[in-house]
Each structure stands twice: as structure tokens, then as C-alpha cells.
Amino acid sequence: SSGINAEYGHTSDITDKIDHGTGNESNVAPDRSLLTRSKGIVLMMSVSVVATVQGSIAFYLSTFPTGMFLIISGIYTFLFLSVLLSYHNLTLWNFSMKKWVASRVALAVLAAVCKTWSFQNLPIGDASALVFTAPLFTSVIARIFIGRKFTIVTVFALLSGIAGVCLITKPSFIFKDNTSEVPGYYKLVPLLAALSLGTSFIFQEKISSKVSPVTVSFYTAVLQVATGIGWSVYEGVYPLPECGLARYLLVVCGLCYTAGRICLNRALKYESAPTASILRNLDTAFAFIVQVAIFDKPAETLSVLGAVLIMMGTVSIALSKIFDVTFGIEF
């Protein structure tokens, strides 16, 4: 327990130290081993897998009110994270960068709310394509505010990911589907979700070495429950799930929220925010696979091509790390 607290600067004598709190980080060569540098990719792929499971559950329970879905799944997440906090003796108060943490949590929940609203009120193709422009926002913000340079691999993975998402989701503003017209300003909401999500990645990268991912995830769950309560009051419906499969699925969804948030927050300790944001596009490819394998949706040629493009972006990032570590060549 003390080791975990020390890792994130939770003891009073190391709170203001850089990274792991030894005070000698500038004299220590960074760990450039392939295993260490691959952790971010593995963790982000894990995030995409659990997010796909979570999205499949949300789709299966689509008739369940959104507010109550947020409340119940958030409560389960809160309980799971409370156990982790207690087991590892992590503090909820004595940590640094509180304003950064508060901003990170608020942005993450704002992104989740806007994303949920978008999928309820826009064609799913339009919502998906616009929400998954988050890597573009992340890359631009990282370039402007923290000087993160664009690499050939980053640009390729970014463009192939966005193109892949569009081929899978087939947004009406690209494929000229006039049967699902909505007011133009509705499309500002998923763009706000993308901007909030992209900015939250930058904030998380900033705090990743100073604050435990469990602590950040805990406060995100608390705000999610509060948001769900407000949403339910607005909708005016408060049903509980029926006994049986629905309740078990909500427990699984809570586990997915817990695992996904911890993996995401942890991944940004090893990986840059733009790269992590690009890897989040894997959700779309995995969701396509689930739709074909479980929900019996026919596999269209364009959708398969889109999944391949997204995977190509991920593979290019992985190969760039192998070349960087093995040959010292950075693309």
C-alpha cells in the first residue's frame, strides 16, 4: 500500500516531487524498453475492449432510461472503486494538482453526457463520426499548448482512424442520406464531446504521474452518479431494472466503467495524449466485430475496409515504437 501511495506522491514529503517522488528523476535515464513503452498500447486496447462490452450492454438495454442507467452503473463503479481505495489505502484528499484533477473529471463527464445525448438524438453514423474526431482535437491542443510535435506515424494513424470510423458508421453528411435530417446545430453537441474528451486526455497526461488513476476514476464515478440524478429529474422517470439479466448486465457495466477508467488513466502515464486518443478509435472496429458476430449485422465491404484502416493506424503506432526502441529510429 505504501508503495502505491509513494508512486503517486501521496505522502507529505514527496507530494511536490516529479513523477515517482524520489527527487532524482533528472539523473535517471528513462526506461526505453519495449515492454515499458508498449504498456500504453496494451492498456488502451484494453480500454477499447471493455468500452465495446459496455456499449453492447447499453445497446441491449437501450429502452432503459439514460439517467437511471448512469446512476446504477455509476453506483456499481463507485462501490468497486471504494474497495480498491480501501485495499490500497489511497487518500481522497491528500494529493497534489487538485484543480487539474477537478478539470479532468469535469471534462470527462461532460464528454460522456454529450456523447450519450448525441447517440440518442442524432443518426448513429453522424454521432460516431463526429465524436471520434477527438484525436484531431487532442493532437491540435497538444501541439499548441504543450508543444507536442506531429510525427508521420501520428498523422497517418489519425487520418486512417477517422477515415475508418466514417466508413463503418457512414455519416449522412458524407454519404448523402437525406432521410435522417436533424437541425445543424445538433451536430455541435458531439463536437463538444470530442473537444471535451480530447482536452481531458491532455489533463490526464499532465497528472498521470502524480495522482492515482483510482482516485481520478473515483471522483469521475461520483460526478457521473450526480449527473445521472440530474438527468433522471429532467426526464421525470425513475424505474429500476427488472430482476434477472438486466441487473447482472448493469453490474458488468459497472465493472467495465471501473476497468476502463483505470486503464485509461494509467495508459496516459506511458503514452502521449494524442496517441492514446487515436487508439481509442479501436472502439469502433471492435464494435463492428461485435455487431457482426453477436447481433447478426451483415458485414459490408466498406465497414470491413474501415475496420482494417483503424487497425492499420494502431499497427503503425506499435511498429513505430519497435523501431524507436530497437533501432533508435523515430517516425
Side-chain angles (χ1 to χ4, degrees), residues 81 92 95-114 196-197 199-205 207 211-227 261 264-265 268:
L81 289 169
L92 286 175
F95 58 87
S96 58
M97 306 182 75
K98 289 184 174 64
K99 291 182 180 179
W100 285 83
V101 172
S103 300
R104 159 72 174 103
V105 169
L107 286 168
V109 174
L110 174 62
V113 170
C114 290
S196 302
L197 184 62
T199 309
S200 74
F201 275 46
I202 303 294
F203 276 69
Q204 182 59 41
E205 182 183 352
I207 66 178
V211 185
S212 165
V214 179
T215 302
V216 177
S217 301
F218 179 86
Y219 282 111
T220 305
V222 171
L223 189 55
Q224 175 188 321
V225 173
T227 303
R261 284 170 178 165
L264 173 61
N265 294 339
L268 285 163

Side-chain angles (χ1 to χ4, degrees), residues 114 117-118 122 130 183-195:
C114 290
W117 186 93
S118 299
L122 288 170
L130 293 172
Y185 61 87
Y186 273 32
K187 296 176 182 177
L188 294 176
V189 178
L191 287 175
L192 177 59
L195 176 61

Side-chain angles (χ1 to χ4, degrees), residues 18-56:
I18 305 299
D19 199 14
H20 295 299
T22 63
N24 298 317
E25 286 74 8
S26 59
N27 299 323
V28 179
D31 186 353
R32 294 177 57 83
S33 68
L34 183 59
L35 177 62
T36 298
R37 302 202 68 197
S38 299
K39 285 182 179 179
I41 294 178
V42 174
L43 286 168
M44 288 307 302
M45 291 184 70
S46 301
V47 172
S48 294
V49 170
V50 297
T52 302
V53 174
Q54 174 190 324
S56 300

Side-chain angles (χ1 to χ4, degrees), residues 33-226:
S33 68
L34 183 59
L35 177 62
T36 298
R37 302 202 68 197
S38 299
K39 285 182 179 179
I41 294 178
V42 174
L43 286 168
M44 288 307 302
M45 291 184 70
S46 301
V47 172
S48 294
V49 170
V50 297
T52 302
V53 174
Q54 174 190 324
S56 300
I57 292 173
F59 177 78
Y60 183 80
L61 300 176
S62 58
T63 58
F64 196 63
T66 302
M68 292 302 296
F69 184 90
L70 290 172
I71 292 173
I72 297 174
S73 59
I75 289 174
Y76 284 128
T77 306
F78 174 87
L79 293 175
F80 294 139
L81 289 169
S82 296
V83 172
L84 291 175
L85 285 166
S86 177
Y87 178 78
H88 292 298
N89 195 29
L90 295 171
T91 178
L92 286 175
W93 307 108
N94 186 26
F95 58 87
S96 58
M97 306 182 75
K98 289 184 174 64
K99 291 182 180 179
W100 285 83
V101 172
S103 300
R104 159 72 174 103
V105 169
L107 286 168
V109 174
L110 174 62
V113 170
C114 290
K115 182 178 178 180
T116 302
W117 186 93
S118 299
F119 281 106
Q120 286 186 324
N121 295 277
L122 288 170
I124 189 169
D126 294 17
S128 298
L130 293 172
V131 166
F132 280 98
T133 58
L136 179 61
F137 286 108
T138 307
S139 299
V140 172
I141 293 170
R143 175 62 181 169
I144 294 173
F145 292 102
I146 61 178
R148 184 83 64 192
K149 66 180 181 179
F150 288 102
T151 65
I152 296 174
V153 169
T154 299
V155 173
F156 172 75
L158 178 63
L159 294 178
S160 65
I162 293 176
V165 169
C166 290
L167 288 176
I168 292 175
T169 59
K170 300 176 182 61
S172 62
F173 52 83
I174 294 178
F175 287 85
K176 305 300 180 183
D177 179 9
N178 296 321
T179 62
S180 56
E181 288 295 327
V182 295
Y185 61 87
Y186 273 32
K187 296 176 182 177
L188 294 176
V189 178
L191 287 175
L192 177 59
L195 176 61
S196 302
L197 184 62
T199 309
S200 74
F201 275 46
I202 303 294
F203 276 69
Q204 182 59 41
E205 182 183 352
K206 181 74 174 178
I207 66 178
S208 60
S209 63
K210 301 293 287 292
V211 185
S212 165
V214 179
T215 302
V216 177
S217 301
F218 179 86
Y219 282 111
T220 305
V222 171
L223 189 55
Q224 175 188 321
V225 173

